[in-house]
């Protein structure tokens, strides 16, 4: 069980905790994390909290499935430039060492 996620044995409690930690943030605040390669973008069709939960559970098969489907992956440099220029706000959830983001409010 992860020390950072002490409620990992109670899936619903952990999901609620993650939901409370999801918040909007200006892309410019995340650029240094993008430069380090730790920002992961989830498609708008995914539930950001569920993605975070699966990462905390080290569910590699689900994460790989999302990646292969193009629903989870790195932010392109072109998107990063566009978001900087437009002062874009994204939704974010930190699952150390990763910063999960979505362009639109999670469902």
């Amino acid at each position: 069980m992860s020390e950072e996620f002490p409620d990992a044995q109670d899936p619903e409690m952990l999901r609620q905790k993650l939901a409370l930690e999801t918040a909007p943030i200006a892309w410019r605040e995340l650029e240094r994390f993008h430069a380090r390669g730790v920002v992961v973008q989830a498609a708008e069709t995914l539930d950001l909290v569920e993605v975070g939960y699966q990462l905390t559970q080290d569910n590699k098969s689900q994460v790989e499935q999302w990646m292969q489907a193009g629903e989870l992956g790195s932010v392109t440099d072109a998107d990063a430039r566009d978001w900087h220029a437009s002062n874009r706000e994204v939704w974010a959830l930190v699952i150390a060492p990763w910063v999960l983001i979505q362009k639109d409010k999670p469902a």
Side-chain angles (χ1 to χ4, degrees):
M1 178 170 42
S2 169
E3 287 180 27
E4 185 173 350
F5 298 101
D7 304 318
Q9 291 182 340
D10 183 342
E12 288 313 306
M13 185 174 275
L14 179 53
R15 283 182 175 100
Q16 289 174 10
K17 179 183 184 303
L18 294 173
L20 291 172
E21 294 177 0
T22 303
I25 188 170
W27 170 251
R28 291 177 179 186
E29 298 294 320
L30 298 176
E31 288 176 333
R32 66 176 182 237
F33 299 101
H34 172 66
R36 289 187 6 223
V38 297
V39 176
V40 178
Q41 181 176 356
E44 290 84 3
T45 56
L46 296 179
D47 179 337
L48 192 61
V49 171
E50 187 60 26
V51 174
Y53 175 77
Q54 295 301 326
L55 283 174
T56 67
Q57 300 305 298
D58 200 25
N59 187 345
K60 292 178 185 172
S61 64
Q62 179 61 71
V63 170
E64 287 174 2
Q65 182 180 346
W66 285 328
M67 290 176 74
Q68 289 173 355
E71 296 176 303
L72 192 66
S74 300
V75 173
T76 67
D77 289 340
D79 280 344
R81 283 190 299 274
D82 289 346
W83 297 349
H84 177 88
S86 66
N87 201 24
R88 176 88 186 207
E89 191 171 80
V90 296
W91 281 83
L93 173 61
V94 176
I95 305 292
W98 309 108
V99 178
L100 299 176
I101 66 157
Q102 269 183 327
K103 291 189 293 184
D104 293 316
K105 185 177 194 278

